[in-house]
Amino acid sequence: MARKDDVLTMGRDQIAALQLEGIKKTVICCYENVPFYKRSFDEAGFDPYGVKSLDDLRKAPFVTKQDLRDNYPYGMLAVPMEDVREIHMSSGTTGVATVGAYTDHDLDFWGDCFARGISYAGCGRGDVCQICYGYGLFTGGLGAHYGSLASGATTIPISAGNTERQIRVLREMGSTILCCTPSYAMHIADTAIAMGLDPVRDFNLKVGIHGAEAFSDGFRAQLEQKFGYKVLDVYGLTETMGPGVAVECLEQDGLHIAEDHFYCEIVDPETGEPLPDGEWGELVVTTLDREASPVVRYRTRDITRIVPGTCACGRTHRRIDRLHGRTDDMLIIRGVNVFPSQIENVMREFDQVSSWYQIELTTSNSLDVVTLKAEVDPRFDFDSTGAIDQLQKSIQARLKTALSVGVRVRLVEPMSISRSEGKAKRVIDLRG
Ligand code: DLL
């Protein structure tokens, strides 16, 4: 077996061979052990024993979140229950939850995948990793936890919430790695500043491993400036494992997919047809050695692309770009497709506006109206009304040029938008 470090710099031919091997095993395992896959492969005329190349996987049908929901709770298990060590679930805010189950082997490689982010940052033994992703059924807390243990760092499993205590622990324990959502990291930084602290001077952070929600480059730059650390983006989802499916290295030029465990395709979200490297589309994931909850061609609904070319860090695993958002987040405003992250990117051009915003969708005369509610930066004089009006108009005009759509802009006072300890709620749909 290859050493863990060698896996990350394998030649592309070796990676392709390893992936083909994993795909063959996974499709056969699913066919033989999961009635759903037997049915869906047979219906699509896909022969799991006939896979000879990576391209042959394209003949397999997709699996969707709805399929997983329909088979709740244990219908998608590929191993006997006695081999399942742990279970996680997606939040299920829109209905039935989806279940992710893990054998010992699955937990082991999950830790290894998240630990890659820690080692990409040059951290490990001797570092102190404060984990303020929520622990529980959400995969953030325990995924980061297993990663921290695997990396050799000292783990502080503080979970999300109680921000003042987070700040005390950051200071007193000298944490060097911060794991939480980017919006919670920003809230921690802002709270520390409001308490009269200087996060660069008073904390000892080297890196933040932040994910679970989309955040713009501008948001990242602000975080890095406030904490004086590096921010690495980490991606994952309950249905395929949890955090660690892909993680950025210090080049910050895309997230290296853990290609020894996951095979990724980008497809056109409308037609399902594969797209070439460099083109944006929907990410589709096949697990290569997941035992308890393998997935074949899972449609993530996440929009990204394969970053063309090789990474300057020398690691050979392909990279996905930072996510634009999900197909279900996409707003269609008067026929134009807009992602909240595009609105955020425009907002970032204005220093007088802070990182906190919400997009409200309402209707007027049966037309959709989009309002960007954004907090002014605390350093900006909110009471000088003329200036606010002017700023609102400038942002509105800039949005119109950048996105070709009309967005109403309403600037609000600092701290008037509610903060989240997990994923921030950016879009509020008030349409009837
Ligand atoms: O959010 C797993 C996770 C935990 C990832 C901690 C990173 C850090 P779910 O709750 O199942 O799992 O939500 C998965 O979150 O399909 C994306 O839409 C979104 N997401 C996850 N990571 C990122 C990211 C966890 N880095 C869904 N950037 C995914 C943008 C992300 N969106």
Side-chain angles (χ1 to χ4, degrees):
M1 200 170 110
R3 275 189 33 235
K4 280 183 179 171
D5 289 353
D6 296 342
V7 167
L8 306 177
T9 51
M10 273 175 150
R12 290 303 311 168
D13 287 353
Q14 269 177 297
I15 295 177
L18 188 144
Q19 292 193 311
L20 180 58
E21 203 53 36
I23 287 170
K24 284 181 181 172
K25 277 197 191 139
T26 301
V27 292
I28 291 172
C29 163
C30 285
Y31 189 73
E32 293 182 351
N33 295 295
V34 185
F36 163 83
Y37 281 109
K38 168 135 195 5
R39 229 177 16 254
S40 81
F41 289 0
D42 285 346
E43 273 169 24
F46 170 66
D47 172 16
Y49 304 98
V51 174
K52 300 274 181 295
S53 70
L54 291 175
D55 284 349
D56 284 341
L57 183 65
R58 293 180 185 173
K59 297 176 194 149
F62 293 119
V63 56
T64 64
K65 198 177 185 89
Q66 192 55 47
D67 295 326
L68 304 192
R69 285 195 176 128
D70 291 346
N71 288 280
Y72 176 90
Y74 292 132
M76 298 301 271
L77 271 194
V79 295
M81 204 47 202
E82 68 247 35
D83 292 336
V84 175
R85 275 313 133 260
E86 192 165 311
I87 284 178
H88 285 267
M89 287 186 216
S90 73
S91 50
T93 41
T94 49
V96 183
T98 50
V99 174
Y102 307 76
T103 62
D104 284 323
H105 165 79
D106 298 336
L107 290 174
D108 198 44
F109 82 73
W110 187 11
D112 178 46
C113 287
F114 193 97
R116 289 176 192 185
I118 296 177
S119 78
Y120 292 170
C123 295
R125 195 168 275 274
D127 280 290
V128 178
C129 183
Q130 182 162 333
I131 299 171
C132 27
Y133 285 115
Y135 278 62
L137 290 177
F138 175 54
T139 53
L142 279 156
H145 188 95
Y146 298 137
S148 174
L149 294 182
S151 78
T154 304
T155 307
I156 303 187
I158 184 166
S159 195
N162 199 339
T163 306
E164 292 196 4
R165 188 176 61 159
Q166 301 283 358
I167 290 167
R168 223 172 38 243
V169 170
L170 273 170
R171 281 186 91 180
E172 292 167 2
M173 311 305 275
S175 309
T176 54
I177 307 168
L178 182 66
C179 297
C180 59
T181 59
S183 53
Y184 192 46
M186 187 67 85
H187 182 48
I188 294 176
D190 289 344
T191 309
I193 293 165
M195 288 163 68
L197 298 173
D198 171 358
V200 178
R201 187 197 58 213
D202 296 321
F203 301 153
N204 199 22
L205 285 174
K206 297 181 193 165
V207 64
I209 304 185
H210 301 313
E213 63 186 5
F215 58 116
S216 66
D217 291 341
F219 194 93
R220 184 214 301 260
Q222 279 196 9
L223 270 178
E224 291 190 331
Q225 193 220 334
K226 285 184 184 175
F227 279 119
Y229 68 169
K230 277 274 181 196
V231 170
L232 301 186
D233 192 342
V234 58
Y235 169 77
L237 62 167
T238 317
E239 293 80 5
T240 65
M241 178 176 79
V245 171
V247 194
E248 260 183 333
C249 66
L250 287 174
E251 297 297 326
Q252 296 180 318
D253 188 19
L255 294 76
H256 287 281
I257 302 161
E259 286 203 289
D260 44 337
H261 300 288
F262 303 97
Y263 180 72
C264 290
E265 303 167 76
I266 303 290
V267 304
D268 181 322
E270 307 273 314
T271 63
E273 284 305 309
L275 292 172
D277 286 3
E279 279 191 34
W280 290 88
E282 181 179 344
L283 178 68
V284 171
V285 180
T286 299
T287 55
L288 301 176
D289 62 342
R290 181 90 184 265
E291 292 177 339
S293 299
V295 284
V296 176
R297 304 197 86 203
Y298 180 72
R299 290 194 69 154
T300 64
R301 302 206 158 273
D302 289 320
I303 301 295
T304 181
R305 61 173 194 144
I306 298 291
V307 178
T310 52
C311 184
C313 75
R315 295 183 189 92
T316 48
H317 290 204
R318 292 185 307 163
R319 292 157 294 153
I320 49 169
D321 214 324
R322 303 217 315 125
L323 268 67
H324 265 186
R326 299 172 55 76
T327 47
D328 20 344
D329 290 343
M330 195 175 71
L331 310 170
I332 304 179
I333 310 173
R334 315 265 159 100
V336 181
N337 298 350
V338 176
F339 283 102
S341 58
Q342 290 173 284
I343 297 184
E344 184 183 328
N345 273 329
V346 170
M347 219 179 80
R348 295 267 62 79
E349 296 171 15
F350 295 84
D351 286 345
Q352 306 94 319
V353 181
S354 84
S355 337
W356 300 104
Y357 72 94
Q358 259 172 358
I359 296 164
E360 259 178 24
L361 304 178
T362 47
T363 359
S364 166
N365 298 329
S366 49
L367 282 176
D368 285 348
V369 178
V370 184
T371 307
L372 169 68
K373 227 169 91 180
E375 285 184 11
V376 284
D377 189 278
R379 290 165 303 182
F380 189 68
D381 181 8
F382 190 78
D383 292 328
S384 58
T385 324
I388 287 286
D389 278 352
Q390 182 109 44
L391 182 56
Q392 286 180 167
K393 285 199 185 111
S394 312
I395 301 176
Q396 228 157 265
R398 182 69 194 100
L399 282 167
K400 180 93 193 162
T401 335
L403 311 175
S404 316
V405 291
V407 173
R408 287 186 190 165
V409 176
R410 191 151 66 83
L411 293 172
V412 294
E413 287 184 57
M415 298 306 287
S416 51
I417 293 174
S418 64
R419 304 297 194 251
S420 155
E421 292 158 0
K423 302 184 192 226
K425 189 151 179 54
R426 300 291 195 196
V427 179
I428 313 280
D429 195 343
L430 300 170
R431 291 172 298 186

